[in-house]
Amino acid sequence: EAWCRVTRGAVPFEPFTPGDGFVVMIDGARFLPANVTITKVVASVYSSDRQPLAAPIEAFSSPDSDAYSPRYTVQATLGQGPEKFDNSTAIILFTVYTMERWTRTLRVVGYAVLPCFLDSR
């Protein structure tokens, strides 16, 4: 299934503080093009001045999943331990790679960017 139900709790009154951390889950991609085979997603966290804030997270598609809508099973906690950060400009850059079907070369399928923090104003 593409969607799951989530029960929303009360919004915390306390703002995010460094060391709280948050979980990033890479669970799937949808409707990839016809030239993909096995895919890999790399999630990298950067600040607005292009400095890496955490080690990259890599996820390979499950071998038994559909190549055009692959499943991944990766979960990582960011912003805790030695990778603690409080940069309000932090973004996660997701890059999807594949071994291209006809040329058998490594290609980038696409990118997605997700901000880690949103301004409540």
Side-chain angles (χ1 to χ4, degrees), residues 13-38:
F13 291 108
E14 305 294 320
F16 176 84
T17 56
D20 283 349
F22 56 93
V23 176
V24 174
M25 299 176 74
I26 303 173
D27 62 354
R30 303 288 181 266
F31 311 113
L32 297 181
N35 63 337
V36 300
T37 57
I38 191 164

Side-chain angles (χ1 to χ4, degrees), residues 29-49:
R30 303 288 181 266
F31 311 113
L32 297 181
N35 63 337
V36 300
T37 57
I38 191 164
T39 54
K40 174 175 87 167
V41 176
V42 177
S44 306
V45 183
Y46 293 102
S47 65
S48 62
D49 58 354

